[in-house]
């Protein structure tokens, strides 16, 4: 397949598995500060920076899959300190130690949802083309 034959991408999305969608809705609603943009009995999707962050029913879509650690979605934020403060307020037990990590041009922190999935927030300390 050549580049001209490849499908055009319209949106980037990622999903994590959940054993309890009600619990996940509460958790991610608090983390993202919004309700899901789309929601069914087995799926919910949050509009995050133009991409769809979905939470799907483990029982419905992947009953044999192991929960947690299957994907690490990462979200770029303008103000990493404000993002960290928000998560500390709405889900303090979800933060992974040691909190804020600064490595070269990137600062980040990681959050673990109730099913063990990791979500990473990051900000650039210095501009990098394309990031």
């Amino acid at each position: 397949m050549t580049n001209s034959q490849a499908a055009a991408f319209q949106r980037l999305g990622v999903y994590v598995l959940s054993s309890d969608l009600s619990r996940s809705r509460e958790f991610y609603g608090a983390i993202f500060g919004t309700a899901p943009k789309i929601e069914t009995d087995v799926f919910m999707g949050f509009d995050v920076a133009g991409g769809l962050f979905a939470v799907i029913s483990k029982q419905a879509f992947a009953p044999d899959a192991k929960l947690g650690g299957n994907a690490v979605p990462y979200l770029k934020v303008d103000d990493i300190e404000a993002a960290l403060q928000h998560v500390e307020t709405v889900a303090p037990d979800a933060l992974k130690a040691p909190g804020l990590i600064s490595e070269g041009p990137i600062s980040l922190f990681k959050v673990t949802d109730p099913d063990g999935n990791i979500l990473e927030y990051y900000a650039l300390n210095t501009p990098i083309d394309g990031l």
Side-chain angles (χ1 to χ4, degrees), residues 16-20 23 58 65-70 114-117:
V16 294
L17 299 173
S18 172
S19 62
D20 182 337
R23 181 180 67 187
K58 177 186 182 306
K66 178 183 171 201
L67 286 170
N70 295 316
D115 286 303
N117 298 300

Side-chain angles (χ1 to χ4, degrees), residues 16 18-40 43-46 53-56 113-115:
V16 294
S18 172
S19 62
D20 182 337
L21 286 177
S22 294
R23 181 180 67 187
S24 292
R25 185 184 200 287
E26 183 178 326
F27 178 84
Y28 283 109
I31 290 289
F32 296 139
T34 188
K37 184 155 183 91
I38 184 171
E39 188 170 8
T40 71
F43 171 93
M44 71 185 85
F46 293 86
F53 184 96
V55 183
I56 66 170
D113 80 0
D115 286 303

Side-chain angles (χ1 to χ4, degrees), residues 48-121:
V48 178
L52 190 66
F53 184 96
V55 183
I56 66 170
S57 166
K58 177 186 182 306
Q59 295 84 346
F61 293 104
D64 296 330
K66 178 183 171 201
L67 286 170
N70 295 316
V72 180
Y74 53 97
L75 306 167
K76 183 179 180 185
V77 295
D78 288 333
D79 186 340
I80 194 76
E81 295 287 343
L84 178 60
Q85 184 177 17
H86 171 72
V87 171
E88 287 174 334
T89 301
V90 300
D93 296 335
L95 286 170
K96 292 184 64 77
L100 191 62
I101 301 166
S102 291
E103 292 287 335
I106 297 175
S107 292
L108 62 95
F109 67 91
K110 296 180 182 182
V111 174
T112 303
D113 80 0
D115 286 303
N117 298 300
I118 297 171
L119 178 65
E120 184 175 288
Y121 287 73

